[in-house]
Short mmCIF file of all heavy atoms in Angstrom, two decimals:
data_model
loop_
_atom_site.label_atom_id
_atom_site.label_comp_id
_atom_site.label_asym_id
_atom_site.label_seq_id
_atom_site.Cartn_x
_atom_site.Cartn_y
_atom_site.Cartn_z
N MET A 1 32.63 148.43 141.42
CA MET A 1 34.06 148.26 141.14
C MET A 1 34.79 147.92 142.45
O MET A 1 35.67 147.14 142.54
CB MET A 1 34.63 149.51 140.49
CG MET A 1 36.04 149.42 140.20
SD MET A 1 36.31 148.27 138.89
CE MET A 1 37.98 148.52 138.59
N ARG A 2 34.33 148.64 143.53
CA ARG A 2 35.00 148.44 144.86
C ARG A 2 34.72 147.06 145.37
O ARG A 2 35.62 146.44 145.99
CB ARG A 2 34.49 149.53 145.84
CG ARG A 2 35.08 149.45 147.15
CD ARG A 2 34.52 150.57 148.05
NE ARG A 2 34.95 150.39 149.41
CZ ARG A 2 35.93 151.09 149.95
NH1 ARG A 2 36.59 151.90 149.24
NH2 ARG A 2 36.25 150.88 151.22
N ILE A 3 33.56 146.51 145.09
CA ILE A 3 33.21 145.15 145.56
C ILE A 3 34.07 144.10 144.86
O ILE A 3 34.60 143.19 145.48
CB ILE A 3 31.72 144.85 145.35
CG1 ILE A 3 30.88 145.75 146.19
CG2 ILE A 3 31.39 143.46 145.56
CD1 ILE A 3 29.39 145.70 145.93
N LYS A 4 34.36 144.37 143.54
CA LYS A 4 35.19 143.41 142.81
C LYS A 4 36.66 143.42 143.39
O LYS A 4 37.29 142.35 143.42
CB LYS A 4 35.22 143.76 141.31
CG LYS A 4 33.92 143.42 140.63
CD LYS A 4 34.03 143.64 139.15
CE LYS A 4 32.73 143.31 138.45
NZ LYS A 4 32.82 143.52 137.01
N ILE A 5 37.16 144.62 143.67
CA ILE A 5 38.48 144.69 144.21
C ILE A 5 38.58 144.00 145.58
O ILE A 5 39.54 143.26 145.88
CB ILE A 5 38.94 146.18 144.28
CG1 ILE A 5 39.07 146.75 142.93
CG2 ILE A 5 40.21 146.34 145.09
CD1 ILE A 5 39.35 148.25 142.82
N ASN A 6 37.57 144.32 146.45
CA ASN A 6 37.53 143.63 147.75
C ASN A 6 37.46 142.10 147.63
O ASN A 6 38.15 141.35 148.33
CB ASN A 6 36.41 144.13 148.59
CG ASN A 6 36.67 145.53 149.14
OD1 ASN A 6 37.75 145.99 149.17
ND2 ASN A 6 35.60 146.21 149.53
N ASN A 7 36.63 141.68 146.68
CA ASN A 7 36.52 140.22 146.46
C ASN A 7 37.78 139.64 145.94
O ASN A 7 38.18 138.54 146.37
CB ASN A 7 35.36 139.99 145.46
CG ASN A 7 34.99 138.55 145.37
OD1 ASN A 7 35.37 137.71 146.18
ND2 ASN A 7 34.19 138.23 144.33
N PHE A 8 38.55 140.32 145.09
CA PHE A 8 39.78 139.89 144.57
C PHE A 8 40.80 139.71 145.72
O PHE A 8 41.52 138.68 145.85
CB PHE A 8 40.33 140.84 143.51
CG PHE A 8 41.75 140.53 143.15
CD1 PHE A 8 42.02 139.49 142.25
CD2 PHE A 8 42.78 141.28 143.58
CE1 PHE A 8 43.31 139.14 141.85
CE2 PHE A 8 44.08 141.01 143.16
CZ PHE A 8 44.31 139.96 142.32
N PHE A 9 40.90 140.70 146.63
CA PHE A 9 41.88 140.62 147.69
C PHE A 9 41.48 139.59 148.72
O PHE A 9 42.37 138.95 149.29
CB PHE A 9 42.03 141.99 148.35
CG PHE A 9 42.91 142.97 147.55
CD1 PHE A 9 42.40 144.13 147.06
CD2 PHE A 9 44.20 142.62 147.25
CE1 PHE A 9 43.16 144.99 146.30
CE2 PHE A 9 44.99 143.44 146.48
CZ PHE A 9 44.47 144.67 146.01
N VAL A 10 40.26 139.35 148.97
CA VAL A 10 39.81 138.32 149.92
C VAL A 10 40.18 136.96 149.34
O VAL A 10 40.74 136.10 150.01
CB VAL A 10 38.32 138.43 150.19
CG1 VAL A 10 37.87 137.21 150.96
CG2 VAL A 10 38.06 139.67 151.07
N ASN A 11 39.91 136.75 148.05
CA ASN A 11 40.25 135.49 147.39
C ASN A 11 41.75 135.27 147.36
O ASN A 11 42.27 134.12 147.54
CB ASN A 11 39.66 135.41 146.00
CG ASN A 11 38.16 135.19 146.00
OD1 ASN A 11 37.62 134.58 146.90
ND2 ASN A 11 37.50 135.70 145.00
N LEU A 12 42.47 136.32 147.10
CA LEU A 12 43.95 136.26 147.04
C LEU A 12 44.48 135.91 148.44
O LEU A 12 45.38 135.09 148.58
CB LEU A 12 44.51 137.58 146.55
CG LEU A 12 46.03 137.55 146.37
CD1 LEU A 12 46.44 136.65 145.26
CD2 LEU A 12 46.50 139.00 146.08
N PHE A 13 43.88 136.47 149.45
CA PHE A 13 44.35 136.19 150.84
C PHE A 13 44.11 134.70 151.16
O PHE A 13 45.00 134.02 151.71
CB PHE A 13 43.56 137.06 151.83
CG PHE A 13 43.79 136.66 153.28
CD1 PHE A 13 45.01 137.00 153.90
CD2 PHE A 13 42.85 135.98 153.97
CE1 PHE A 13 45.19 136.62 155.23
CE2 PHE A 13 43.03 135.59 155.27
CZ PHE A 13 44.25 135.92 155.90
N PHE A 14 42.94 134.17 150.86
CA PHE A 14 42.66 132.76 151.17
C PHE A 14 43.54 131.82 150.33
O PHE A 14 44.00 130.78 150.79
CB PHE A 14 41.20 132.47 151.00
CG PHE A 14 40.33 132.97 152.14
CD1 PHE A 14 39.37 133.86 151.90
CD2 PHE A 14 40.58 132.49 153.43
CE1 PHE A 14 38.56 134.31 152.93
CE2 PHE A 14 39.79 132.96 154.47
CZ PHE A 14 38.84 133.85 154.24
N LEU A 15 43.83 132.20 149.10
CA LEU A 15 44.67 131.37 148.28
C LEU A 15 46.10 131.29 148.80
O LEU A 15 46.66 130.21 148.94
CB LEU A 15 44.70 131.87 146.83
CG LEU A 15 45.62 131.16 145.88
CD1 LEU A 15 45.10 129.76 145.59
CD2 LEU A 15 45.72 131.94 144.57
N LEU A 16 46.60 132.45 149.16
CA LEU A 16 48.00 132.51 149.65
C LEU A 16 48.14 131.95 151.04
O LEU A 16 49.13 131.40 151.46
CB LEU A 16 48.52 133.91 149.53
CG LEU A 16 48.68 134.50 148.12
CD1 LEU A 16 49.21 135.90 148.13
CD2 LEU A 16 49.61 133.61 147.27
N SER A 17 47.10 132.14 151.87
CA SER A 17 47.21 131.56 153.23
C SER A 17 47.15 130.09 153.23
O SER A 17 47.63 129.44 154.16
CB SER A 17 46.08 132.20 154.10
OG SER A 17 44.83 131.72 153.67
N SER A 18 46.52 129.45 152.19
CA SER A 18 46.51 128.02 152.20
C SER A 18 47.86 127.44 151.98
O SER A 18 48.19 126.35 152.49
CB SER A 18 45.55 127.50 151.09
OG SER A 18 46.06 127.85 149.82
N PHE A 19 48.73 128.15 151.27
CA PHE A 19 50.11 127.68 151.12
C PHE A 19 50.84 127.61 152.45
O PHE A 19 51.64 126.75 152.72
CB PHE A 19 50.87 128.57 150.10
CG PHE A 19 50.47 128.41 148.68
CD1 PHE A 19 49.89 129.51 148.03
CD2 PHE A 19 50.61 127.25 148.04
CE1 PHE A 19 49.53 129.35 146.72
CE2 PHE A 19 50.23 127.04 146.73
CZ PHE A 19 49.68 128.16 146.07
N VAL A 20 50.58 128.59 153.26
CA VAL A 20 51.29 128.72 154.54
C VAL A 20 50.75 127.70 155.57
O VAL A 20 51.44 127.04 156.27
CB VAL A 20 51.17 130.15 155.11
CG1 VAL A 20 51.81 130.24 156.46
CG2 VAL A 20 51.84 131.14 154.16
N THR A 21 49.40 127.55 155.61
CA THR A 21 48.81 126.66 156.60
C THR A 21 49.07 125.27 156.32
O THR A 21 49.13 124.42 157.21
CB THR A 21 47.33 126.90 156.67
OG1 THR A 21 46.72 126.68 155.35
CG2 THR A 21 46.95 128.26 157.15
N PHE A 22 49.28 124.82 155.07
CA PHE A 22 49.49 123.40 154.77
C PHE A 22 50.98 123.11 154.53
O PHE A 22 51.32 121.95 154.24
CB PHE A 22 48.72 123.02 153.50
CG PHE A 22 47.28 122.96 153.71
CD1 PHE A 22 46.42 123.88 153.07
CD2 PHE A 22 46.67 122.07 154.58
CE1 PHE A 22 45.05 123.86 153.29
CE2 PHE A 22 45.32 122.04 154.80
CZ PHE A 22 44.50 122.93 154.18
N ALA A 23 51.85 124.09 154.72
CA ALA A 23 53.27 123.87 154.57
C ALA A 23 53.78 123.03 155.72
O ALA A 23 53.36 123.24 156.86
CB ALA A 23 54.02 125.20 154.48
N GLN A 24 54.69 122.13 155.48
CA GLN A 24 55.29 121.33 156.51
C GLN A 24 56.77 121.54 156.52
O GLN A 24 57.38 121.75 155.47
CB GLN A 24 55.02 119.86 156.23
CG GLN A 24 53.54 119.52 156.25
CD GLN A 24 53.31 118.03 155.87
OE1 GLN A 24 54.25 117.32 155.57
NE2 GLN A 24 52.09 117.65 155.94
N PRO A 25 57.34 121.64 157.74
CA PRO A 25 58.78 121.90 157.75
C PRO A 25 59.56 120.73 157.17
O PRO A 25 59.14 119.55 157.21
CB PRO A 25 59.05 122.03 159.25
CG PRO A 25 57.94 121.33 159.91
CD PRO A 25 56.78 121.41 159.02
N GLY A 26 60.75 121.02 156.67
CA GLY A 26 61.60 119.96 156.11
C GLY A 26 62.37 119.22 157.20
O GLY A 26 62.20 119.50 158.36
N ASP A 27 63.12 118.26 156.80
CA ASP A 27 63.93 117.47 157.69
C ASP A 27 65.30 118.14 157.83
O ASP A 27 66.18 117.90 157.07
CB ASP A 27 64.08 116.05 157.17
CG ASP A 27 64.79 115.12 158.12
OD1 ASP A 27 64.81 115.44 159.34
OD2 ASP A 27 65.26 114.07 157.66
N THR A 28 65.42 119.00 158.85
CA THR A 28 66.68 119.77 159.02
C THR A 28 67.32 119.35 160.32
O THR A 28 66.73 119.21 161.34
CB THR A 28 66.41 121.24 159.04
OG1 THR A 28 65.49 121.57 160.11
CG2 THR A 28 65.84 121.73 157.76
N ASP A 29 68.65 119.11 160.27
CA ASP A 29 69.38 118.78 161.44
C ASP A 29 70.52 119.69 161.63
O ASP A 29 71.43 119.45 162.47
CB ASP A 29 69.83 117.29 161.38
CG ASP A 29 70.64 117.04 160.15
OD1 ASP A 29 70.85 117.89 159.35
OD2 ASP A 29 71.09 115.89 160.02
N GLY A 30 70.66 120.78 160.89
CA GLY A 30 71.68 121.77 161.07
C GLY A 30 72.91 121.57 160.17
O GLY A 30 73.78 122.41 160.21
N THR A 31 72.92 120.54 159.44
CA THR A 31 74.05 120.30 158.54
C THR A 31 73.83 121.09 157.24
O THR A 31 72.74 121.40 156.86
CB THR A 31 74.22 118.79 158.22
OG1 THR A 31 73.05 118.33 157.56
CG2 THR A 31 74.45 117.99 159.49
N PRO A 32 74.90 121.39 156.54
CA PRO A 32 74.77 122.14 155.28
C PRO A 32 74.03 121.40 154.19
O PRO A 32 73.57 121.96 153.24
CB PRO A 32 76.22 122.38 154.83
CG PRO A 32 77.09 122.05 155.97
CD PRO A 32 76.32 121.17 156.91
N THR A 33 73.89 120.04 154.32
CA THR A 33 73.22 119.28 153.28
C THR A 33 71.86 118.80 153.81
O THR A 33 71.48 117.64 153.73
CB THR A 33 74.05 118.09 152.89
OG1 THR A 33 74.31 117.27 154.07
CG2 THR A 33 75.36 118.47 152.26
N ASP A 34 71.09 119.75 154.37
CA ASP A 34 69.74 119.41 154.87
C ASP A 34 68.84 118.94 153.78
O ASP A 34 68.86 119.45 152.67
CB ASP A 34 69.11 120.64 155.54
CG ASP A 34 69.78 121.00 156.86
OD1 ASP A 34 70.35 120.10 157.51
OD2 ASP A 34 69.68 122.17 157.28
N ASN A 35 68.06 117.89 154.08
CA ASN A 35 67.08 117.39 153.11
C ASN A 35 65.75 118.07 153.38
O ASN A 35 65.02 117.71 154.35
CB ASN A 35 66.99 115.90 153.32
CG ASN A 35 66.07 115.26 152.30
OD1 ASN A 35 65.63 115.93 151.39
ND2 ASN A 35 65.76 113.99 152.43
N LEU A 36 65.41 119.06 152.62
CA LEU A 36 64.21 119.81 152.87
C LEU A 36 62.96 119.06 152.47
O LEU A 36 61.84 119.43 152.83
CB LEU A 36 64.26 121.18 152.11
CG LEU A 36 65.34 122.09 152.60
CD1 LEU A 36 65.35 123.38 151.78
CD2 LEU A 36 65.18 122.44 154.06
N GLU A 37 63.08 118.03 151.67
CA GLU A 37 61.95 117.28 151.22
C GLU A 37 61.58 116.15 152.19
O GLU A 37 60.54 115.52 152.06
CB GLU A 37 62.19 116.67 149.84
CG GLU A 37 62.34 117.72 148.77
CD GLU A 37 62.48 117.15 147.38
OE1 GLU A 37 62.39 115.93 147.29
OE2 GLU A 37 62.73 117.92 146.47
N GLY A 38 62.37 115.88 153.22
CA GLY A 38 62.05 114.84 154.16
C GLY A 38 62.38 113.45 153.63
O GLY A 38 62.91 113.30 152.52
N THR A 39 62.03 112.48 154.45
CA THR A 39 62.39 111.08 154.02
C THR A 39 61.17 110.23 153.88
O THR A 39 61.26 109.00 153.73
CB THR A 39 63.32 110.47 155.06
OG1 THR A 39 62.65 110.49 156.33
CG2 THR A 39 64.66 111.14 155.16
N ASP A 40 60.00 110.83 153.88
CA ASP A 40 58.75 110.08 153.69
C ASP A 40 58.61 109.55 152.30
O ASP A 40 58.94 110.26 151.36
CB ASP A 40 57.53 110.97 154.01
CG ASP A 40 57.50 111.48 155.43
OD1 ASP A 40 58.04 110.75 156.27
OD2 ASP A 40 57.00 112.55 155.68
N PRO A 41 58.23 108.32 152.12
CA PRO A 41 58.06 107.73 150.80
C PRO A 41 56.86 108.45 150.07
O PRO A 41 55.90 108.89 150.68
CB PRO A 41 57.74 106.30 151.01
CG PRO A 41 57.17 106.22 152.40
CD PRO A 41 57.84 107.34 153.16
N ALA A 42 56.98 108.51 148.74
CA ALA A 42 55.92 109.08 147.98
C ALA A 42 54.70 108.20 147.97
O ALA A 42 54.78 107.00 148.00
CB ALA A 42 56.38 109.32 146.52
N ALA A 43 53.51 108.81 147.93
CA ALA A 43 52.25 108.03 147.87
C ALA A 43 52.04 107.48 146.48
O ALA A 43 52.16 108.21 145.48
CB ALA A 43 51.12 108.92 148.25
N SER A 44 51.76 106.23 146.43
CA SER A 44 51.55 105.61 145.07
C SER A 44 50.04 105.48 144.80
O SER A 44 49.29 104.99 145.63
CB SER A 44 52.20 104.21 145.12
OG SER A 44 51.90 103.58 143.93
N ILE A 45 49.65 105.89 143.66
CA ILE A 45 48.25 105.68 143.16
C ILE A 45 48.16 104.68 142.05
O ILE A 45 47.08 104.50 141.48
CB ILE A 45 47.63 107.04 142.73
CG1 ILE A 45 48.33 107.61 141.51
CG2 ILE A 45 47.62 107.99 143.87
CD1 ILE A 45 47.59 108.68 140.90
N ASN A 46 49.28 104.04 141.71
CA ASN A 46 49.24 103.13 140.57
C ASN A 46 48.39 101.94 140.78
O ASN A 46 47.85 101.45 139.79
CB ASN A 46 50.71 102.66 140.32
CG ASN A 46 51.58 103.77 139.73
OD1 ASN A 46 51.03 104.72 139.27
ND2 ASN A 46 52.85 103.65 139.90
N SER A 47 48.15 101.50 141.98
CA SER A 47 47.43 100.31 142.22
C SER A 47 45.94 100.50 141.91
O SER A 47 45.24 99.54 141.56
CB SER A 47 47.61 99.80 143.65
OG SER A 47 47.15 100.80 144.57
N LEU A 48 45.38 101.69 142.08
CA LEU A 48 44.01 101.89 141.88
C LEU A 48 43.72 102.85 140.69
O LEU A 48 42.66 103.47 140.56
CB LEU A 48 43.35 102.51 143.13
CG LEU A 48 43.35 101.58 144.35
CD1 LEU A 48 42.82 102.34 145.59
CD2 LEU A 48 42.59 100.32 144.10
N LEU A 49 44.70 103.01 139.79
CA LEU A 49 44.55 103.93 138.68
C LEU A 49 43.47 103.48 137.71
O LEU A 49 42.73 104.30 137.23
CB LEU A 49 45.90 104.11 137.97
CG LEU A 49 45.99 105.30 136.99
CD1 LEU A 49 45.72 106.56 137.66
CD2 LEU A 49 47.37 105.32 136.37
N LEU A 50 43.37 102.19 137.46
CA LEU A 50 42.37 101.70 136.54
C LEU A 50 40.95 101.94 137.09
O LEU A 50 39.99 102.30 136.40
CB LEU A 50 42.57 100.23 136.30
CG LEU A 50 41.68 99.56 135.29
CD1 LEU A 50 41.74 100.22 133.91
CD2 LEU A 50 41.95 98.10 135.15
N LEU A 51 40.81 101.74 138.39
CA LEU A 51 39.50 101.99 139.06
C LEU A 51 39.14 103.50 139.01
O LEU A 51 38.01 103.86 138.73
CB LEU A 51 39.57 101.55 140.50
CG LEU A 51 38.31 101.65 141.36
CD1 LEU A 51 37.23 100.70 140.77
CD2 LEU A 51 38.56 101.30 142.77
N LEU A 52 40.11 104.36 139.17
CA LEU A 52 39.94 105.76 139.14
C LEU A 52 39.46 106.18 137.67
O LEU A 52 38.54 106.99 137.58
CB LEU A 52 41.21 106.56 139.52
CG LEU A 52 41.13 108.04 139.51
CD1 LEU A 52 40.20 108.49 140.57
CD2 LEU A 52 42.55 108.58 139.77
N VAL A 53 40.12 105.67 136.70
CA VAL A 53 39.74 106.02 135.30
C VAL A 53 38.31 105.48 134.96
O VAL A 53 37.56 106.14 134.34
CB VAL A 53 40.76 105.38 134.34
CG1 VAL A 53 40.28 105.46 132.89
CG2 VAL A 53 42.10 106.11 134.46
N THR A 54 38.01 104.28 135.49
CA THR A 54 36.67 103.72 135.25
C THR A 54 35.56 104.65 135.84
O THR A 54 34.56 104.93 135.22
CB THR A 54 36.58 102.30 135.84
OG1 THR A 54 37.60 101.52 135.30
CG2 THR A 54 35.24 101.67 135.53
N PHE A 55 35.76 105.02 137.13
CA PHE A 55 34.76 105.87 137.78
C PHE A 55 34.69 107.21 137.14
O PHE A 55 33.63 107.82 137.02
CB PHE A 55 35.06 106.00 139.26
CG PHE A 55 34.58 104.83 140.09
CD1 PHE A 55 35.43 104.08 140.87
CD2 PHE A 55 33.23 104.49 140.08
CE1 PHE A 55 34.94 102.99 141.60
CE2 PHE A 55 32.74 103.39 140.79
CZ PHE A 55 33.62 102.65 141.58
N GLY A 56 35.85 107.74 136.66
CA GLY A 56 35.82 109.05 135.94
C GLY A 56 35.04 108.95 134.64
O GLY A 56 34.30 109.86 134.30
N PHE A 57 35.18 107.84 133.92
CA PHE A 57 34.47 107.62 132.67
C PHE A 57 33.00 107.51 132.90
O PHE A 57 32.12 108.08 132.22
CB PHE A 57 35.02 106.41 131.97
CG PHE A 57 34.41 106.19 130.59
CD1 PHE A 57 34.70 107.06 129.51
CD2 PHE A 57 33.56 105.13 130.37
CE1 PHE A 57 34.12 106.85 128.28
CE2 PHE A 57 32.96 104.93 129.11
CZ PHE A 57 33.27 105.78 128.05
N ILE A 58 32.61 106.76 133.93
CA ILE A 58 31.18 106.56 134.33
C ILE A 58 30.59 107.95 134.75
O ILE A 58 29.46 108.29 134.33
CB ILE A 58 31.04 105.55 135.41
CG1 ILE A 58 31.37 104.13 134.82
CG2 ILE A 58 29.62 105.53 135.98
CD1 ILE A 58 31.44 103.07 135.88
N PHE A 59 31.32 108.71 135.54
CA PHE A 59 30.82 110.02 135.97
C PHE A 59 30.66 110.94 134.78
O PHE A 59 29.70 111.70 134.73
CB PHE A 59 31.77 110.62 136.98
CG PHE A 59 31.34 111.98 137.48
CD1 PHE A 59 30.24 112.08 138.28
CD2 PHE A 59 32.02 113.12 137.12
CE1 PHE A 59 29.82 113.28 138.75
CE2 PHE A 59 31.60 114.32 137.59
CZ PHE A 59 30.51 114.43 138.37
N ALA A 60 31.59 110.92 133.80
CA ALA A 60 31.50 111.78 132.62
C ALA A 60 30.26 111.41 131.80
O ALA A 60 29.51 112.28 131.35
CB ALA A 60 32.72 111.65 131.77
N LEU A 61 29.99 110.11 131.64
CA LEU A 61 28.77 109.70 130.89
C LEU A 61 27.49 110.14 131.67
O LEU A 61 26.56 110.56 131.04
CB LEU A 61 28.81 108.17 130.71
CG LEU A 61 29.79 107.67 129.68
CD1 LEU A 61 29.72 106.16 129.66
CD2 LEU A 61 29.53 108.22 128.33
N TYR A 62 27.55 109.97 132.98
CA TYR A 62 26.39 110.39 133.79
C TYR A 62 26.17 111.90 133.67
O TYR A 62 25.01 112.34 133.51
CB TYR A 62 26.64 109.95 135.22
CG TYR A 62 25.64 110.59 136.17
CD1 TYR A 62 24.29 110.05 136.30
CD2 TYR A 62 25.92 111.64 137.01
CE1 TYR A 62 23.37 110.58 137.13
CE2 TYR A 62 25.04 112.18 137.90
CZ TYR A 62 23.73 111.63 137.93
OH TYR A 62 22.82 112.16 138.81
N SER A 63 27.19 112.66 133.70
CA SER A 63 27.05 114.12 133.64
C SER A 63 26.59 114.56 132.25
O SER A 63 25.72 115.47 132.12
CB SER A 63 28.38 114.79 133.91
OG SER A 63 28.78 114.58 135.24
N LEU A 64 27.06 113.90 131.23
CA LEU A 64 26.60 114.26 129.85
C LEU A 64 25.10 113.91 129.65
O LEU A 64 24.38 114.66 129.05
CB LEU A 64 27.42 113.60 128.83
CG LEU A 64 28.91 114.14 128.63
CD1 LEU A 64 29.67 113.28 127.69
CD2 LEU A 64 28.85 115.55 128.18
N ASN A 65 24.71 112.74 130.14
CA ASN A 65 23.30 112.31 129.97
C ASN A 65 22.38 113.21 130.84
O ASN A 65 21.25 113.45 130.46
CB ASN A 65 23.17 110.84 130.31
CG ASN A 65 23.73 109.97 129.25
OD1 ASN A 65 23.82 110.33 128.12
ND2 ASN A 65 24.13 108.75 129.66
N LYS A 66 22.83 113.59 132.00
CA LYS A 66 21.98 114.35 132.86
C LYS A 66 21.81 115.75 132.32
O LYS A 66 20.68 116.34 132.45
CB LYS A 66 22.64 114.46 134.26
CG LYS A 66 21.84 115.23 135.26
CD LYS A 66 22.54 115.30 136.60
CE LYS A 66 21.74 116.11 137.54
NZ LYS A 66 22.46 116.38 138.78
N ASN A 67 22.78 116.33 131.74
CA ASN A 67 22.73 117.73 131.24
C ASN A 67 22.43 117.86 129.78
O ASN A 67 22.58 118.87 129.19
CB ASN A 67 24.05 118.43 131.55
CG ASN A 67 24.29 118.59 133.02
OD1 ASN A 67 23.39 118.70 133.77
ND2 ASN A 67 25.57 118.53 133.39
N LYS A 68 22.01 116.72 129.18
CA LYS A 68 21.63 116.76 127.73
C LYS A 68 20.37 117.60 127.52
O LYS A 68 19.36 117.40 128.18
CB LYS A 68 21.40 115.33 127.22
CG LYS A 68 21.22 115.26 125.69
CD LYS A 68 20.89 113.91 125.22
CE LYS A 68 22.01 112.95 125.48
NZ LYS A 68 21.81 111.58 124.92
N LYS A 69 20.50 118.54 126.57
CA LYS A 69 19.34 119.36 126.26
C LYS A 69 18.54 118.76 125.15
O LYS A 69 19.13 118.21 124.21
CB LYS A 69 19.85 120.75 125.85
CG LYS A 69 20.45 121.56 126.98
CD LYS A 69 20.84 122.95 126.50
CE LYS A 69 21.46 123.73 127.63
NZ LYS A 69 21.83 125.06 127.20
N ILE A 70 17.24 118.82 125.29
CA ILE A 70 16.38 118.27 124.25
C ILE A 70 16.17 119.35 123.19
O ILE A 70 15.65 120.48 123.54
CB ILE A 70 15.02 117.83 124.84
CG1 ILE A 70 15.27 116.72 125.90
CG2 ILE A 70 14.10 117.40 123.72
CD1 ILE A 70 14.06 116.32 126.69
N ALA A 71 16.54 119.11 121.99
CA ALA A 71 16.47 120.13 120.92
C ALA A 71 15.20 119.91 120.12
O ALA A 71 14.68 118.89 119.92
CB ALA A 71 17.69 120.11 120.02
#
């Protein structure tokens, strides 16, 4: 039981510390209307979405065929 509790707290620590380590400061200049989201443009994945779906479908078929049990 003690090992499970320790494992839980270690996992919780790493999960919560990842939020802090990857956090980036906002775009603040001291005005009351600070833009906390910054001015960077959003990353677009629309151009390669069809390619991503194709590879996902191929990987799903590969995984199903690889793990098929012979009955």
Side-chain angles (χ1 to χ4, degrees):
M1 182 70 174
R2 183 178 171 100
I3 294 173
K4 287 185 180 181
I5 293 173
N6 285 341
N7 191 11
F8 172 75
F9 282 118
V10 167
N11 286 330
L12 185 66
F13 171 76
F14 283 119
L15 176 69
L16 294 178
S17 67
S18 68
F19 289 116
V20 175
T21 56
F22 292 113
Q24 297 177 357
D27 185 20
T28 58
D29 56 359
T31 60
T33 59
D34 288 336
N35 184 8
L36 295 178
E37 295 183 5
T39 57
D40 297 331
S44 175
I45 63 166
N46 290 338
S47 60
L48 296 175
L49 194 58
L50 184 61
L51 184 65
L52 181 66
V53 169
T54 303
F55 279 122
F57 185 70
I58 291 170
F59 180 71
L61 289 176
Y62 170 75
S63 296
L64 288 173
N65 287 335
K66 182 180 176 186
N67 295 327
K68 187 184 294 187
K69 293 184 180 179
I70 299 173

